[in-house]
Amino acid sequence: MTDRTPLLHYRLSSSITDADRLRHAPGTGGRDGSQLRGSSSRTQTPQPQKLSTFFGVVIPTLLSMFSVVVFLRIGFAVGQSGLYQTIAMFIVAYIIIGMTVLSVCAISTNGALDAGGAYYMISRALGPEFGGSIGIMFFLANVCGSALFVLGLVESIMDTFGVPQGPEAGLGSSVQVLPRTYWWELLYGTSILLLCLLVCLVGAHIYAKATFIIFLIVLVALITIFISFFVVKPHEVTVPLLNGTGTTTANFTGFKLATLQENLMGGYTVDYTTGNMMSFATVFAVMFNGCTGIMAGSNMSGDLKTPSYSIPRGTITAVMFTYIIYNLLSVMVACSCDRLLLQRDYSFLRDINVWHPFVTIGVYSSTLSAAMSNLIGASRILYAMARDDLFGKVLAPAKMMSRSGNPWAAVLISWFLVQLVLFSGKLNTIAGIVAIFFMLVYAAMDLACRGPPHLTSDIDLLSLSHSLSRPTFRYFTWHTCVLGIVGCGIMMFLINPIYASASIAFMLFLLVIIHYLSPTSSWGYISQALIFHQVRKYLLMLDVRKDHVKFWRPQVLLMVANPRSSVELIGFVNDIKKSGLYVLGHVELGDLDTLPSDPLQSRYDSWLTLVDKLNIKAFVNLTLADTIRHGVQQLLFISGLGGMRPNTMVLGFYDDCEPQDGLEEFAGIAMDTSLPVEEPRLNFPVLRRTAGRKALSMEDYVAVVSDSVKMLKNVALARYFSDFDRKEVLGRKAVFVDVWPLNLMRPDSINYVDTCSLFLLQLACVLTMVRSWRQARLRLFLCVESGRSVQGPEEKLRQLLRELRIKADIHTVAWDSVVALHWHKQAGRKPEEELELEEEDFVNSFPSNATRISDDYLQAINRMILQQASEPAVRFLYLPRPPADTSLYHTYLRHLDIMTKDLGPTLLIHGVTPVTSTHL
């Protein structure tokens, strides 16, 4: 997508509603012609989006990043890890999020953005597989993050208003009146979450106004904190003992070098809120949650005036500001508070503030804002996934919206899940899980990004696919992406290897599920781009000069005149092609000079839908030609690419059998031949039956066979496959595949090892190698005359089968009465005439024989084949080469018709290239 396209799209859509923007975004429908997905018919009330960079990105990001850490966990980090390690943690954390922010900026400037934040960016950059799996992880991260901030707020409320427990009972102040048990704290958290729910149900604009007021409160609280370090005198602060048996005192010393020296190195101890021993990884997990708010502005992408402008500038501004505040606050805390105070009182900033309520109000405001931010972010992600139908009916309820464009159903679902997470009870308990989820999303965001076009590295996915994306944000390279991915991966496993492994496994599971089950999207699959790039490279490596007969496989071009009457044949050829190339070819009569446009382009989707419905692995190749013969020639010349070209052409037999509608059973309804080519009410292509005069004459039909042989393509003529019922055939106790390797039109030629007969054997063997046909038994029929020895030819044939590693039952058939009807056995023929005919036959294979062979002989051949015990699933017969004399084409086809009449599913096969090898 060019840079100009998203700008045009934005201008066209800037005056429509939030819901309409969601539905008309690139890839979801609208003016770009893509399909509308998940849209409702309800008319939306016009409401232009008004959130600017400051209100829509800077403020939500700042409040989400400050939240719990700046007020409740700065002292925890310094007290447990020391100043050096705390600063190192911030450096590592901000390197990770900094690299991710660069990727977010790049992706957000690569096209028009819509609601969904990181999910929308990743899904449109990497396709639905990665987008859906990462979207779920990001949704869960926001859900857990919202719960984390609610629990942080409850913890702060308990520190201020909670009744002291244990030996401290009865020693609290007059304001400490709230019961402090698990169920009471759960009730407090539920009440706070309900308040967040009410704000989010009203809509994003009320949330933006509320966050601005909260931002002012937090800013004032931060200013008072920094002032307090300078104006508050040193004093003692009461803190609880570690074992909960009483209290002790810790000191706020003011700025002292001794205090700084004491706090420089780490001193890990037990966390007094959870009773767990702390370490670098556990402290980092808690501290990292103060950096996870970088997506808060991106989550509001659907509510911004200009997302591609606001997200980069707003996010970078917020990240730089928080990094400076965190480091300044860490240094001041390390210089003025002894370690005991930092380790035993997470709300110590309130106790050392010039006016205690300032910090209390700041904590309450920031954590409440962060909880709302994560809740509204989770709802937007859930709605975006539901709108894209990645999980079908599972997320269908989340599509519902209010008239003002607020996805209230997604908000309620998100609220319910946050409520479930609140049962965990403690902030530090879920901090690790939240951090891992966010890191996984950040790594995916880095993976979704690519370096500027002048860089040719193959590190990230879009570079691997050689995507032509052109983000306007240039301050990043593939090095930053890799650094972000590596940093996220390392820290995930340092925090908790089990949670990290389980999260990655869950994400991969979702990726596979979406890849196979999700509906086709119109906004691109990274897997398709990667496949294209790799296939192109391997096709160039597939050198036809290195082909060897040992690795031959059938690569089939099946000419389909009417898909309705060819369903069974299409399925059967899909079996005999095994793992080879399979192309469905179709010739449309017409002259492009007389047409306004190519009529085939609009029909490809119908053919591809047919391929999907029949569950076959095939390509489709359509062509426009003045005659069928010329069209087939075109397909034989151009089908395939490089070393992957069809080596075998399959045609339906030329007869007068009434075509059967094989598509009817897939529709579940009767098909009307008067229906147009594409009927919208059907979920698969509806194609006309061929009616009236055939578009191909007998002479042209045989000419097509002759053309294929001249091009060194093997030929198979399929007859009676409209009667072939695959399920019924493969459900039999005994399944037989009959092979007649002798040229039945030349009984004087008893050679079973010519190229054609070997091809016949190989193709039948390939069929029995297919999993569903493995129970089938090959029956090889050896025609003998009573005057000749049977053991010699039979033993030679067995030896040939052993060398070719083909398992088959050999059946000898006495055909004296049949051979007696052949022309070379008839009386009145002179020896020199026979010699002349044989020499001519040697050159042209069939012409003279066609003039001499009798209908009685062909009928006898037909009866002989039908008289064999146990009806086979399919018969393989030897197809003679068409005569060189075109005047004999009609006779040639008539002979084939007589010989195969009423035989059931039959393949007449002519091979022209070696396909078997007896050597390793």
Side-chain angles (χ1 to χ4, degrees):
M1 181 180 294
T2 63
D3 293 333
R4 192 175 297 175
T5 302
L7 179 60
L8 174 63
H9 178 88
Y10 168 72
R11 288 174 177 172
L12 289 173
S13 60
S14 61
S15 62
I16 59 178
T17 67
D18 180 33
D20 286 338
R21 290 187 74 247
L22 295 177
R23 294 181 298 173
H24 288 76
T28 59
R31 302 182 74 97
D32 58 355
S34 54
Q35 183 181 5
L36 287 174
R37 306 180 63 186
S39 61
S40 63
S41 59
R42 178 182 296 178
T43 302
Q44 304 295 335
T45 303
Q47 182 181 353
Q49 306 307 308
K50 298 180 180 179
L51 296 186
S52 62
T53 302
F54 184 73
F55 287 98
V57 181
V58 175
I59 291 179
T61 305
L62 280 176
L63 292 178
S64 295
M65 295 186 71
F66 280 148
S67 61
V68 174
V69 172
V70 72
F71 292 110
L72 297 180
R73 289 300 183 265
I74 283 290
F76 163 78
V78 175
Q80 295 285 349
S81 304
L83 181 62
Y84 289 155
Q85 292 187 36
T86 300
I87 293 176
M89 287 181 186
F90 281 120
I91 292 175
V92 172
Y94 272 82
I95 286 176
I96 293 175
I97 68 169
M99 301 304 100
T100 305
V101 166
L102 295 179
S103 300
V104 170
C105 295
I107 296 178
S108 64
T109 60
N110 193 44
L113 284 183
D114 215 321
Y119 160 72
Y120 186 88
M121 297 179 190
I122 295 174
S123 62
R124 269 49 179 183
L126 298 184
E129 306 104 321
F130 282 90
S133 56
I134 292 298
I136 288 292
M137 304 303 293
F138 195 33
F139 168 70
L140 294 177
N142 277 274
V143 166
C144 294
S146 181
L148 179 140
F149 295 128
V150 171
L151 291 174
L153 180 53
V154 171
E155 180 181 304
S156 180
I157 292 173
M158 289 298 98
D159 288 342
T160 305
F161 301 104
V163 175
Q165 301 292 314
E168 304 173 53
L171 300 179
S173 65
S174 59
V175 297
Q176 293 179 295
V177 294
L178 297 179
R180 197 168 188 171
T181 64
Y182 169 81
W183 292 106
W184 276 105
E185 290 182 4
L186 179 62
L187 178 61
Y188 306 148
T190 301
S191 302
I192 294 170
L193 185 58
L194 282 173
L195 177 61
C196 297
L197 174 64
L198 292 176
V199 174
C200 293
L201 284 176
V202 173
H205 290 77
I206 298 299
Y207 163 75
K209 294 177 181 178
T211 54
F212 177 67
I213 297 174
I214 293 174
F215 172 73
L216 294 178
I217 296 173
V218 171
L219 193 60
V220 170
L222 280 174
I223 293 174
T224 62
I225 288 174
F226 281 105
I227 294 175
S228 299
F229 284 112
F230 294 95
V231 301
V232 174
K233 297 180 179 179
H235 62 277
E236 292 183 346
V237 179
T238 302
V239 297
L241 290 173
L242 188 61
N243 55 12
T245 57
T247 61
T248 185
T249 58
N251 295 314
F252 170 71
T253 64
F255 292 107
K256 286 188 177 180
L257 181 61
T259 304
L260 176 61
Q261 292 174 340
E262 178 190 358
N263 290 325
L264 288 178
M265 308 306 295
Y268 295 103
T269 184
V270 175
D271 174 23
Y272 78 92
T273 63
T274 62
N276 297 326
M277 183 65 188
M278 294 292 100
S279 64
F280 180 90
T282 54
V283 174
F284 180 84
V286 175
M287 187 276 302
F288 187 78
N289 285 285
C291 310
T292 57
I294 61 172
M295 295 293 187
S298 303
N299 290 342
M300 303 296 294
S301 57
D303 302 289
L304 299 173
K305 285 183 179 180
T306 51
S308 59
Y309 176 87
S310 300
I311 291 176
R313 290 162 177 79
T315 305
I316 292 176
T317 301
V319 168
M320 293 177 63
F321 184 77
T322 56
Y323 180 72
I324 294 172
I325 294 299
Y326 279 143
N327 281 276
L328 284 176
L329 199 55
S330 298
V331 172
M332 290 186 173
V333 165
C335 292
S336 59
C337 302
D338 67 24
R339 175 150 290 182
L340 185 62
L341 175 62
L342 300 178
Q343 291 178 342
R344 303 292 174 82
D345 186 6
Y346 295 159
S347 58
F348 74 98
L349 289 176
R350 179 196 60 198
D351 299 324
I352 66 172
N353 198 268
V354 291
W355 188 51
H356 295 177
F358 268 136
V359 174
T360 301
I361 294 172
V363 170
Y364 294 173
S365 301
S366 62
T367 49
L368 185 64
S369 171
M372 286 191 294
S373 175
N374 279 265
L375 180 59
I376 200 169
S379 66
R380 294 311 191 262
I381 296 168
L382 183 63
Y383 170 76
M385 289 190 294
R387 178 197 60 193
D388 287 336
D389 286 332
L390 293 185
F391 296 92
K393 296 181 179 179
V394 176
L395 298 182
K399 294 181 184 180
M400 292 184 286
M401 300 180 66
S402 65
R403 290 191 174 184
S404 61
N406 187 34
W408 61 269
V411 173
L412 288 176
I413 295 173
S414 304
W415 163 79
F416 176 74
L417 295 178
V418 174
Q419 181 63 57
L420 293 181
V421 179
L422 289 181
F423 283 92
S424 61
K426 291 295 180 182
L427 183 152
N428 288 4
T429 303
I430 63 173
I433 300 176
V434 176
I436 288 174
F437 279 169
F438 275 108
M439 285 185 183
L440 201 57
V441 175
Y442 296 163
M445 187 64 72
D446 291 323
L447 196 64
C449 188
R450 58 155 293 172
H454 65 274
L455 295 177
T456 57
S457 172
D458 284 349
I459 298 298
D460 55 274
L461 288 181
L462 287 177
S463 292
L464 279 173
S465 65
H466 286 206
S467 169
L468 300 179
S469 59
R470 291 184 291 275
T472 57
F473 183 84
R474 299 289 179 175
Y475 302 103
F476 72 106
T477 68
W478 65 266
H479 304 84
T480 63
C481 301
V482 174
L483 188 60
I485 294 172
V486 172
C488 289
I490 292 175
M491 295 314 301
M492 282 170 56
F493 283 93
L494 282 179
I495 292 172
N496 194 311
I498 297 177
Y499 286 165
S501 301
S503 299
I504 294 173
F506 181 59
M507 183 195 71
L508 294 176
F509 171 75
L510 290 173
L511 190 149
V512 173
I513 292 296
I514 297 173
H515 177 75
Y516 285 103
L517 300 182
S518 70
T520 302
S521 76
S522 58
W523 23 275
Y525 292 77
I526 187 63
S527 59
Q528 296 299 302
L530 291 173
I531 290 170
F532 174 85
H533 181 61
Q534 296 303 314
V535 167
R536 182 188 64 85
K537 290 200 301 186
Y538 285 117
L539 275 176
L540 292 172
M541 297 169 60
L542 192 60
D543 193 341
V544 294
R545 296 169 294 183
K546 298 179 182 179
D547 285 346
H548 195 280
V549 68
K550 290 189 299 184
F551 306 108
W552 180 90
R553 67 191 68 210
Q555 305 200 95
V556 184
L557 169 63
L558 172 62
M559 297 305 306
V560 180
N562 184 358
R564 286 193 172 281
S565 57
S566 306
V567 172
E568 293 79 8
L569 179 59
I570 293 172
F572 178 78
V573 175
N574 185 64
D575 286 337
I576 65 171
K577 71 98 171 65
K578 202 173 183 296
S579 57
L581 178 68
Y582 185 18
V583 180
L584 298 181
H586 176 73
V587 179
E588 189 78 17
L589 294 178
D591 185 358
L592 196 58
D593 290 339
T594 63
L595 297 172
S597 62
D598 183 5
L600 301 178
Q601 298 303 318
S602 60
R603 301 180 187 177
Y604 270 104
D605 285 346
S606 296
W607 282 83
L608 294 176
T609 305
L610 175 68
V611 169
D612 293 338
K613 286 294 179 181
L614 297 181
N615 194 26
I616 60 175
K617 298 178 181 179
F619 299 95
V620 175
N621 208 347
L622 311 180
T623 189
L624 188 70
D626 56 345
T627 66
I628 299 295
R629 181 182 180 186
H630 289 164
V632 175
Q633 289 177 356
Q634 292 174 17
L635 293 177
L636 287 172
F637 277 125
I638 67 173
S639 292
L641 193 63
M644 293 191 67
R645 292 184 176 275
N647 54 36
T648 304
M649 183 181 70
V650 179
L651 292 171
F653 196 78
Y654 194 97
D655 55 26
D656 294 324
C657 294
E658 181 67 22
Q660 303 296 318
D661 189 353
L663 288 180
E664 186 173 350
E665 62 177 285
F666 289 93
I669 60 174
M671 298 299 176
D672 185 359
T673 56
S674 64
L675 287 175
V677 173
E678 293 186 4
E679 175 65 25
R681 67 188 180 90
L682 298 176
N683 295 324
F684 56 90
V686 178
L687 305 174
R688 295 183 190 273
R689 297 179 183 176
T690 302
R693 185 177 62 85
K694 292 181 179 292
L696 188 66
S697 66
M698 285 188 177
E699 290 74 14
D700 283 346
Y701 177 83
V702 180
V704 167
V705 178
S706 180
D707 293 341
S708 180
V709 174
K710 290 177 184 178
M711 296 180 191
L712 296 182
K713 306 292 185 184
N714 308 300
V715 181
L717 306 183
R719 190 172 193 188
Y720 294 121
F721 273 88
S722 59
D723 301 330
F724 180 75
D725 188 337
R726 189 174 185 272
K727 291 183 179 179
E728 186 274 330
V729 166
L730 297 180
R732 299 174 186 172
K733 293 183 178 179
V735 180
F736 299 103
V737 176
D738 288 359
V739 181
W740 298 78
L742 176 66
N743 185 354
L744 297 175
M745 292 190 180
R746 287 294 304 268
D748 55 324
S749 174
I750 58 173
N751 187 5
Y752 282 89
V753 290
D754 67 351
T755 300
C756 186
S757 59
L758 290 178
F759 179 77
L760 202 69
L761 285 172
Q762 183 75 344
L763 205 58
C765 179
V766 167
L767 179 63
T768 59
M769 293 169 65
V770 178
R771 179 178 300 177
S772 55
W773 285 86
R774 284 179 182 171
Q775 78 275 21
R777 297 173 57 186
L778 280 181
R779 297 193 303 187
L780 195 59
F781 290 92
L782 178 62
C783 299
V784 297
E785 297 182 53
S786 57
R788 299 184 181 183
S789 173
V790 178
Q791 294 182 351
E794 186 175 349
E795 183 55 35
K796 289 181 179 180
L797 192 55
R798 291 188 186 277
Q799 178 62 28
L800 175 65
L801 293 176
R802 283 194 293 269
E803 292 178 354
L804 297 177
R805 287 87 65 197
I806 296 177
K807 294 182 179 181
D809 300 328
I810 298 178
H811 296 261
T812 57
V813 179
W815 68 332
D816 297 73
S817 59
V818 176
V819 173
L821 298 174
H822 195 264
W823 64 269
H824 82 286
K825 292 291 186 179
Q826 296 174 7
R829 196 69 58 203
K830 296 180 180 180
E832 60 273 14
E833 186 179 359
E834 291 184 13
L835 178 61
E836 180 183 349
L837 292 172
E838 288 181 6
E839 290 177 353
E840 188 178 1
D841 287 348
F842 178 78
V843 176
N844 297 320
S845 176
F846 181 76
S848 298
N849 198 23
T851 61
R852 300 295 182 179
I853 202 168
S854 66
D855 290 353
D856 291 339
Y857 169 74
L858 294 171
Q859 291 169 358
I861 290 290
N862 180 264
R863 288 192 297 271
M864 178 183 68
I865 296 175
L866 286 173
Q867 288 170 0
Q868 304 309 311
S870 301
E871 182 182 0
V874 64
R875 291 181 172 90
F876 288 73
L877 302 183
Y878 191 115
L879 175 67
R881 180 169 181 160
D885 186 355
T886 58
S887 64
L888 298 177
Y889 281 179
H890 190 279
T891 304
Y892 171 81
L893 192 56
R894 185 174 62 84
H895 287 173
L896 295 179
D897 178 59
I898 296 173
M899 184 177 68
T900 60
K901 189 173 182 61
D902 298 327
L903 289 186
T906 302
L907 278 182
L908 288 159
I909 299 173
H910 184 83
V912 296
T913 56
V915 296
T916 58
S917 173
T918 58
H919 300 286
L920 183 63

